[in-house]
Amino acid sequence: MTGKQRKQIWNAFQLTLILIATFIMLVPIVWIFLAAFKTHVDVYQLKLFFRPTLENFGTVFDDPYRLGEKLYNSTIVALVTVVFAIPIATCAAYSFSRFRLRGETTMLVMILATQFVPAVVIILPFFVMFRDIGLLDTRLGLILVNLAIVMPFAIWMIKGFIDGIPLDTEEAAMVDGSSRIQVIRNIVLPMAAPGLLTAAIFCFIIAWNEFLFALILTNKDAVTLPIGLALFKGEEGDLWNLLSAAGIIIMAPMFVLALIIRKYFVQGMTMGAVR
Amino acid sequence: MAEVILKNLTKRWGDFVGVDNQSLDIHDKEFLVLLGPSGCGKTTTMRMIAGLEEPTSGEIWIGERKVNDDLPKDRDVAMVFQNYGLYPHMTIFDNIAYPLKVRGTPKADIRPRVERAAEQVELTQFLGRKPKALSGGQRQRVALARAIVRTPKVFLMDEPLSNLDAKLRVTMRAELKHLSRELKVTTVYVTHDQIEAMTLADRVAVMKHGVIQQLGTPDEIYNDPANLFVAGFIGSPAMNLVRGSVKDGHFITVDGVRLSTIASEDRNEVILGVRADDINVHEAGAGDIDTPIYAFENTGEASFLTVVWGDQRVIARGDRHLRKEQDDVVGLTLNPDHLYLFDPATERRIHL
Ligand SMILES: Nc1ncnc2c1ncn2[C@@H]1O[C@H](COP(=O)(O)OP(=O)(O)O)[C@@H](O)[C@H]1O
Ligand SMILES: [Mg+2]
C-alpha cells in the first residue's frame, strides 16, 4: 500500500466516523421534526412518508396546554437575564482583566467554583428562601436564579475577550485624551463586541434551556417552556406529536442563534492586535 | 510647547529598580533621545512622563506644571507606541481623528486637520482603510499622524521604527527627522539603536540599569564618552578597549606590546579606548605595530581588520579597496590625538 492510499483509507475512515456520529446525534431531532407534523395516529408508526399536518402547533397553544404563556415566560426570563448579565459581567470582567485587585485570583476561582456545586444541592435552600420572600413561581425569581447561573460563565468568557485586547490600544486612547469611561465606550466595547455577542447568546441559551430550578421553583404562573413539555403527559399516555411540536418551538431560537454564533464566535476568538 | 523636567525620578517594582533617582532637563523644542540596551528603563521613563506608570518617587514637570497627579489625558502629550497601538475597529481617518474628537474639537475643524496630518506622512489615499489592510510602515505612519494631528506640549516616541525592516527604517528615520525639525515640538524619543540616536537627537541620554550614564549632544557622546559603558555602546563597530599600562609616555598592553605614545603620566592599570577609524592601516613595517590579521572582513564600503593585542581583539578600519588575507601581517598606527583612557576600577574616563 502506498502512503497515498493509506491516507485515502484513513480519510474515508474518518469521514465514516463523523457521519455515524452525526447520524446518531441527528436521529432524535429528525424524529421530532417528523412527529411534530404527524397526527396522533401516525405518530406511533415509523413512517417517513405521511400527510403532514400543522394541527399540532395550534393545539399546543390552546387550552389546556397554553404554551403561549410558557413561551412568554421563557422569553422574558431569558432576555432579562441576558440584559442584566452582560453589562454587569462586562464591568466585572474589565476590572479583573485590567486592574490589579486585592484577592483577584481567589475571587476568580471562587466565581468559577460556584459552577462546581450541583444544582440539586442548593435547590432546597433556594426553595425555602423564595417561599419566605414570596419569589416562588415568579419570573423575577427565575431571573435571579438564572443570573446566578450565567454570571460566572459570562464573566470568565468576557474576561477572555478583553484580555485579548492589547493594552497598548487602551493606553494610546488614554494619552490621546480619553477618560477611562471613554476608553471603555470608544475602544473596549467596540473591540469586544463579537465576544460580548457570543457571551450574550450563550447566556440566553443557558437561561432558555434551564430546567431544574424552573421545575422546583415554579408551578403555575412562571412556568417556562422546558417545564411546559411535561404537560404533554396525559392520561392517555405521552402525546408525542404535541411534545414534538413544542420541542420544535423550544429549539427554533437555538437554530437561529447557532447561525449567528457561527459567524461571530470565530471572529470573537480570532480578534486581536493590529501590530 | 514646553520643557520637561524630571526630578529624582524613581520607579521600583518590589525590590527591582527600573529607574533609579534620575534627573533630567529636556529643553523646549528639543529632540531628546533616551538610548540604552533593552531593559535599561527607557520605556519606563517615558511611560512615567505620559502618565501610564506611576513613579515610586520624584517629580515630573511639563511646562510650568507638576503633572505627577494628572491623568494621561490631562498632560497634553502625544505618544507613538512601539506596537503603534492603533484602533483596529476604526478607519485610518478615524484613528487619526480620535485625539481631536475625544478632546472636543469642532467637527468642521477635524477633517482639514486630519487630511493635513495624513498628507505630512503620505497616507492620504489610505484614509478609508482599516489598520489591518496596511503594511507595517504604513501603520507606523498612522501612529505618527495620530500624534502630529494635534500640537501637544510634548511628543513621546517609544522605538517607533523598531518594527520596520532595515531599509524602511532608514527612510522613515529621515522622514522623522524632517518632520521633527518642521514641527519644532519638544520630543522624547526612546531607542536602543545608536544610529537612530546619533542621527535624530539634539541631545542623547545614554542609560544603563535605570541610570543615565551621560547626557550630551551626539557629538559629545561619540567623541567624549564619560565612561566605559558609553564608549563601548556608541559607535559601530564598538570602540576598541585594550587593557594595559602607561609607562614613559607610552601605552603598553598586558603582554608588553608598545602601542602608541600617549599624553599621560605613568599608570599601572588602565584601559585604552581607540575607535576603529583611528587605527591607520599600512603595509607591514610601515606602521608602528606589525600584527598578523586574525580576520579580514570587507563590507563593500569599508574593510575591517581584526587583530589580537594582549588578550583582546581589536578592530581597525581600512580603506574599502584594501584586500588582505587572514594571517597576512599589516602595520598599524594609532592616532595619538584620539585615544581615551579609562580607569578599570571606576570605569570612568581619565581625562588626558
Ligand atoms: N510592570 C513591571 N513590573 C516589573 N518589572 C517591570 C515592569 N515593567 C518593566 N519592568 C522591568 O523594568 C526594566 C526596564 O524596563 P523598560 O523600561 O521597559 O526597559 P527598556 O529600556 O527596554 O524600554 C526591565 O528589566 C523590565 O523587566
Ligand atoms: Mg522599551
Side-chain angles (χ1 to χ4, degrees), chain A residues 100, chain B residues 13 16 18 37-45 53:
Chain A
R100 252 184 250 158
Chain B
W13 291 278
F16 184 85
S38 168
C40 71
K42 309 179 295 286
T43 298
T44 307
T45 307
E53 203 82 65

Side-chain angles (χ1 to χ4, degrees), chain A residues 100 167-180 182-183 186-188 190-191 270-275, chain B residues 47 50 52 72-73 77-79 81-90 98-99 102-103 131-132 139 146 150 163:
Chain A
R100 252 184 250 158
L167 202 55
D168 261 12
T169 314
E170 276 183 58
E171 290 180 340
M174 284 199 262
V175 177
D176 278 347
S178 331
S179 61
R180 179 70 70 172
Q182 284 170 318
V183 169
N186 299 339
I187 309 296
V188 177
M191 283 180 74
T270 57
M271 173 203 66
V274 173
R275 294 189 141 252
Chain B
R47 288 170 57 84
L52 297 171
K73 73 187 179 74
V77 301
M79 185 156 171
F81 289 73
Q82 186 166 3
N83 293 329
Y84 313 144
L86 301 184
Y87 311 129
H89 57 295
M90 298 184 193
Y98 188 78
V102 82
R103 286 171 196 274
K132 227 178 219 143
R139 285 176 198 170
R146 190 174 61 184
R150 290 186 327 117
N163 280 341

Side-chain angles (χ1 to χ4, degrees), chain A residues 118-156:
Chain A
V120 277
V121 175
I122 49 170
I123 202 155
L124 201 65
F126 257 111
F127 181 84
V128 175
M129 234 162 35
F130 275 25
R131 189 190 56 200
D132 292 350
I133 55 178
L135 281 176
L136 269 190
D137 201 19
T138 61
R139 287 188 289 268
L140 176 61
L142 276 190
I143 289 168
L144 291 177
V145 169
N146 275 306
L147 273 175
I149 295 174
V150 301
M151 281 297 279
F153 171 78
I155 290 173
W156 271 83

